[in-house]
Amino acid sequence: MIHWAIRKKHVKLLLLLIVAVPIFQLGGCALFPEEEEPLPVPLIEVKQAEYLTKQPRRETIENRVSGKAEIVPMQSVNVSFADSSGYLAKMYFQNGDYVNEGDLLCALESPDIGEQLTEAEMRAEISEMQYERARQQYQNGELDEIAWKQAELEIYIVRRDLEKLRATFEATQLYAPMSGQIIYRATVAEGDLVNARDTLYTIANLDQLYVRYSGSDYNKLPLYTECELSLPLGNDTEIYTGTVIQTPDNLPDTALPIDRYSVLLELDRELPEGIALGTQMDLSYLIERSENALVIAQSAIKTAGTRTYVYVLEDGYRRERDVLVGIVSGYDAEILKGLDEEDLVIY
């Protein structure tokens, strides 16, 4: 009887649990908010890259040296005081004058040196005669060793002092180092201060005129190259042939600083009279030429080590294309291999 009562309690408890669990689950779910449906991901349309492209073109391309050259003298020299500064006493020649080598061009003020030198030269002449007489007396046995030694020392001192005075005086005198025409005279007046190494005159040998080319591509003109030179003469143009006779690789000892960055050309005939120094001529020299060449702009060409390539547009994509470059001129370059006229070259 007792066992039946216990079993009956267990059955009631089990039925209660069976009924309570669904109710609890239903009530627990009601505590949380309902989940929202996820928003759809927007679709982004990727825009294809845009490139500036051009097709290669067919044309004649030349590698040419061209520019302005100027008429220069066969030889010229700038004249200045090497180490002396002072006030100008006098300039003896004007622009356009012809001078001979050794002519006195100008002098600095030296109030007392000239007179001192004249007096020193006269005293030296007397000392030379006395020395010569002492030498003869010594050879004839009429003068002892001490007196002869004294005569040698005295003449040495006189000669040394005279040379010093001469050097001081000569430093105030400027002489022409070569014969030629004065093509430049400094605009200084008597009494003006002149510094050492200030150019006071430029002397030129005008026996033969040459042409100097100092363009950035002067090094493309080797020795003995023949160039075309045109000289405007009023409404006409005279055409000359100029041969390169001097380059930076074969400079003489008398070369000027500008000679290191230019070439000198000799004309095939004389220029007309009255052509001034510095007159410009148009120089032209054809190095190489290619007709009907496939040409693109140099800016499109890329390099990486020994590799040369361009970017081309293929099927909407940028791709690299190796090329072989031929003549390069100005902003353009010839393509010998790697491209054709239908390609779209990216710039």
Side-chain angles (χ1 to χ4, degrees), residues 180-331:
Q181 184 177 343
I182 294 175
I183 60 173
Y184 169 78
R185 178 189 184 278
T187 54
V188 291
E190 295 180 7
D192 287 349
L193 178 63
V194 174
N195 296 312
R197 292 178 292 280
D198 284 349
T199 299
L200 299 176
Y201 287 102
T202 299
I203 302 174
N205 185 339
L206 303 181
D207 291 343
Q208 187 173 358
L209 298 179
Y210 293 92
V211 177
R212 181 188 305 282
Y213 178 70
S214 55
S216 58
D217 49 358
Y218 70 90
N219 54 355
K220 294 182 180 179
L221 300 178
L223 196 63
Y224 305 126
T225 296
E226 291 188 351
C227 304
E228 180 181 284
L229 290 156
S230 57
L231 176 66
L233 294 174
N235 296 326
D236 298 327
T237 299
E238 193 77 16
I239 304 300
Y240 295 83
T241 297
T243 304
V244 177
I245 61 170
Q246 178 181 292
T247 71
D249 296 328
N250 68 325
L251 296 180
D253 296 335
T254 57
L256 300 174
I258 193 175
D259 291 330
R260 301 183 182 277
Y261 309 98
S262 63
V263 296
L264 204 63
L265 300 98
E266 183 178 18
L267 298 177
D268 58 340
R269 61 187 187 278
E270 292 185 1
L271 291 164
E273 292 186 6
I275 297 299
L277 295 177
T279 298
Q280 292 189 334
M281 303 181 72
D282 292 315
L283 178 143
S284 180
Y285 171 63
L286 180 62
I287 299 175
E288 52 187 341
R289 174 189 177 99
S290 178
E291 297 183 357
N292 197 32
L294 194 65
V295 176
I296 65 172
Q298 281 195 63
S299 59
I301 300 175
K302 316 296 179 184
T303 57
T306 58
R307 184 181 174 219
T308 303
Y309 64 96
V310 299
Y311 289 114
V312 296
L313 189 64
E314 293 183 357
D315 301 326
Y317 294 95
R318 188 182 74 165
R319 303 185 188 279
E320 294 181 359
R321 181 84 61 81
D322 290 338
V323 295
L324 179 62
V325 178
I327 295 175
V328 176
S329 175
Y331 298 101

